[in-house]
Amino acid sequence: MSNISPPRKRRKEARPSELSAAALDLFVEKGFAATRLEDVAQRAGVSKGTLYLYFDSKEALFKSVIEDGVVPVLVEGEEIASRHEGSAFELLEKLLANWWAGIGETSFAGIPKLMTAESRNFPELAQFYYENVIRRGRAQVASALERGIASGEFRKLDIETTIDVVIAPILMLVIWRYSMACCQGTQVDPQQYMAVHLTLLREGLKRTQV
Amino acid sequence: MSNISPPRKRRKEARPSELSAAALDLFVEKGFAATRLEDVAQRAGVSKGTLYLYFDSKEALFKSVIEDGVVPVLVEGEEIASRHEGSAFELLEKLLANWWAGIGETSFAGIPKLMTAESRNFPELAQFYYENVIRRGRAQVASALERGIASGEFRKLDIETTIDVVIAPILMLVIWRYSMACCQGTQVDPQQYMAVHLTLLREGLKRTQV
DNA sequence: TAACTTAATGACTGATTGGTCATTAAGTTA
DNA sequence: TAACTTAATGACCAATCAGTCATTAAGTTA
C-alpha cells in the first residue's frame, strides 16, 4: 500500500475532537515541546494547516486537551459521595473504582502523566487542573475519611496527609503506565493492584479496638 | 549591579559536576526538549561552548545527569537489608527512611519526575534507570515483605503488587514536589506524610489474628 | 451546471536553537 | 618574561519547526 494520503474530506464538526485526541496521544508520549505539529496532523489524518483552522496555536491546542477532559468524572464522584449510605470504607472504595473506570481506563488516563511533566512549563494550566480535578478529587476522598473518623470506623489521622497517601498509588498506577512501564517485563494488573491497595487501606484505616 | 559575567576561570576538574548540576535543575523543571543549552550554560556560569568541551551533545549531558546519580543510595539499602535483624516492618521502615534521606532530601530528588517525563523519549536510558534504580529498590522492599510473610508478621499478599503500592506514595511525594506542588497553597510535610504512610502500612500489612 | 463558499492543503517564511570553531585569555613551562 | 598550552568564549551556521497564506478542492446554492 502506498503512502498516498486519503482524499480531502470536510469534517468541520468532528475535526476538533479528532485533532485533540491525536494531540493528546502525542503530548502524553513525548511532552509538549518534543511533539511536532506535523506529527499531530499526520496522526489525525490532516495537514498541518488544518490545525490552525481550529486552534490558534500549539499552546491553545495543548490547553484544550487538558481543559476538555476529566471534569465530568469528578462530577460523578461528587454525586456518589453525596448520596452514599453505607460504610465510610465502602464509599472510599466506590470513589476509587469510579475514578478508575472514568479516567484510568479511558483515553484521559495519560493526562496525569502529562500534567506531571508539563505543570512547571504551564503554571496557569496546572492551576486550572489543580482546582478542577485534583482539589475536587481530594475533597471526595476527604468526605469518606471524615465520615469514617467521625463514626469511629477509621483511626484518627491527619486528613490532608491521608488523602495524599490514599491517592498516590492510583496516580502512580496511571503515571507509570505512560512512562516507565515500557521497561518492565511484566504489566501491572490494575484489578490486583487496586485489590491490594484497598486491602492495605481497609486494615490500615481501621480504628484499633481497645 | 550590572549583568557583566564573571571573568573567565579555568575549572577543569569541577566543571563536569557543575554543568551536570545546572543541567539537572533545568531538565527537571522544564524537561529535555524545552531546556535550552544557553540557559544551562548561564545557570552554570559559563558560555555555551564550554558545555561541548565536556559533553558531546545535549543528549550526552542529559544521560550523564541520570547515570551519575542515585545508585550509591541503592547500594546502602542493599547493605541495610543484608544485615538487618529486627522485625520485617522495622526493615521496611529503615529502607524507606534511607531512601528518603539519600534521594528525597537531596538534589537527586528531581530525577523520578524527570524520568517519568522523559522515559518514552529515551527508552534506553529508561531501561538503565529501571535496571539500576527501580529494580534494585523493589528488590529491597521485596526482601522485607518476604520476611514478614514468612515469619507470619505480615498477611499473605502478592509481593510484586504490594511493592508497587508500598513504593507509590514515596515516588509520588517527590514527583509531586517537582510538578504540581507549585499550585498547592500548602506544602506537604514529608515527615508527617511518611508517618501516615507507615501507620497505614503497619496496620494494613499485619496478619489478622484468628 | 455555473457560481460561490469554505474546509483543507503544504510550500514557504522567520524565529529558534543545537552544535561549531576562530579567537581570546588563563595558566604553565622553559 | 616570552613562548606555549589549553580552557573558555560567543558569533555564526545549518537544521528544525511554529505559524502563515495563496491555492486547491469539497460541498452548497441559485
Side-chain angles (χ1 to χ4, degrees):
Chain A
M1 219 60 75
S2 79
N3 279 333
I4 299 173
S5 64
R8 297 187 192 191
K9 185 92 169 159
R10 291 182 172 208
R11 300 173 56 85
K12 180 170 173 165
E13 299 301 316
R15 284 291 188 217
S17 59
E18 288 171 354
L19 299 174
S20 286
L24 176 60
D25 281 352
L26 291 172
F27 284 144
V28 167
E29 179 183 340
K30 302 172 184 289
F32 177 84
T35 294
R36 299 162 67 242
L37 290 182
E38 182 76 37
D39 290 335
V40 174
Q42 189 173 44
R43 174 71 63 101
V46 297
S47 283
K48 199 165 60 154
T50 304
L51 291 170
Y52 291 91
L53 288 178
Y54 298 93
F55 299 95
D56 289 338
S57 64
K58 185 180 184 185
E59 185 166 330
L61 174 61
F62 178 66
K63 289 178 168 173
S64 85
V65 144
I66 300 297
E67 286 167 356
D68 308 332
V70 301
V71 173
V73 180
L74 278 304
V75 169
E76 279 181 54
E78 281 156 4
E79 287 165 9
I80 290 175
S82 74
R83 66 171 179 266
H84 183 73
E85 291 186 8
S87 74
F89 191 80
E90 282 166 352
L91 171 57
L92 188 58
E93 206 165 355
K94 272 182 184 172
L95 289 173
L96 299 184
N98 176 69
W99 192 89
W100 185 255
I103 298 178
E105 290 184 335
T106 68
S107 60
F108 299 130
I111 291 183
K113 186 240 174 178
L114 181 54
M115 282 313 309
T116 295
E118 300 293 345
S119 55
R120 303 280 290 277
N121 289 326
F122 299 92
E124 284 176 21
L125 191 63
Q127 191 69 45
F128 168 87
Y129 185 79
Y130 182 79
E131 298 300 328
N132 289 276
V133 177
I134 293 171
R135 184 124 106 187
R136 290 170 82 166
R138 290 177 65 88
Q140 292 163 32
V141 172
S143 73
L145 293 178
E146 281 156 4
R147 267 167 113 117
I149 293 174
S151 71
E153 187 183 340
F154 293 165
R155 69 180 60 243
K156 278 184 162 57
L157 287 162
D158 176 71
I159 288 188
E160 289 304 302
T161 311
T162 307
I163 296 169
D164 287 337
V165 177
V166 167
I167 292 178
I170 318 292
L171 284 177
M172 211 49 228
L173 183 57
V174 288
I175 289 170
W176 190 263
R177 182 202 294 165
Y178 291 93
S179 71
M180 298 299 302
C182 58
C183 306
Q184 209 169 343
T186 60
Q187 266 195 347
V188 174
D189 172 11
Q191 302 306 329
Q192 182 168 44
Y193 186 100
M194 292 292 285
V196 168
H197 184 37
L198 288 166
T199 295
L200 295 180
L201 276 184
R202 178 183 293 113
E203 300 308 318
L205 285 167
K206 265 178 185 170
R207 192 179 62 170
T208 309
Q209 301 297 354
V210 180
Chain B
M1 218 59 78
S2 80
N3 279 331
I4 298 171
S5 65
R8 298 191 192 187
K9 185 92 167 160
R10 291 185 173 206
R11 300 171 58 80
K12 182 170 171 167
E13 297 302 317
R15 284 291 186 218
S17 58
E18 287 171 355
L19 299 173
S20 285
L24 176 61
D25 281 354
L26 291 172
F27 285 144
V28 166
E29 179 184 341
K30 299 171 185 289
F32 178 83
T35 294
R36 297 161 69 242
L37 290 182
E38 182 77 36
D39 290 334
V40 174
Q42 189 172 44
R43 175 71 63 100
V46 298
S47 282
K48 200 166 60 158
T50 306
L51 292 170
Y52 291 90
L53 288 178
Y54 298 93
F55 298 96
D56 289 338
S57 64
K58 185 180 185 184
E59 184 166 332
L61 174 61
F62 178 67
K63 289 179 170 173
S64 86
V65 144
I66 300 294
E67 288 166 355
D68 308 335
V70 302
V71 172
V73 180
L74 279 303
V75 169
E76 279 181 55
E78 280 155 5
E79 286 165 8
I80 290 175
S82 75
R83 66 172 178 266
H84 183 73
E85 292 185 6
S87 74
F89 190 79
E90 282 167 353
L91 172 57
L92 188 56
E93 204 166 356
K94 273 181 181 173
L95 289 172
L96 299 185
N98 177 70
W99 191 88
W100 185 253
I103 299 179
E105 289 182 336
T106 69
S107 60
F108 300 130
I111 292 183
K113 185 240 172 175
L114 181 54
M115 280 316 307
T116 295
E118 300 293 345
S119 55
R120 302 281 289 277
N121 290 326
F122 298 94
E124 285 177 21
L125 192 61
Q127 191 68 46
F128 167 88
Y129 186 79
Y130 183 79
E131 298 298 330
N132 288 277
V133 178
I134 293 171
R135 183 124 108 188
R136 289 170 82 166
R138 292 177 64 90
Q140 291 163 34
V141 172
S143 76
L145 293 177
E146 281 158 4
R147 268 167 113 118
I149 292 175
S151 72
E153 188 183 339
F154 293 165
R155 70 178 62 240
K156 279 185 161 55
L157 287 162
D158 175 72
I159 289 189
E160 289 304 301
T161 312
T162 307
I163 296 169
D164 288 335
V165 177
V166 167
I167 293 179
I170 318 295
L171 284 177
M172 211 49 227
L173 182 57
V174 288
I175 288 171
W176 190 263
R177 184 203 291 166
Y178 293 92
S179 72
M180 298 299 301
C182 57
C183 308
Q184 210 169 345
T186 61
Q187 265 196 348
V188 173
D189 171 11
Q191 301 308 326
Q192 183 166 44
Y193 186 99
M194 292 293 285
V196 168
H197 182 39
L198 287 167
T199 297
L200 294 179
L201 275 186
R202 178 183 293 114
E203 300 309 317
L205 284 169
K206 266 179 185 171
R207 193 179 61 169
T208 309
Q209 301 297 353
V210 179

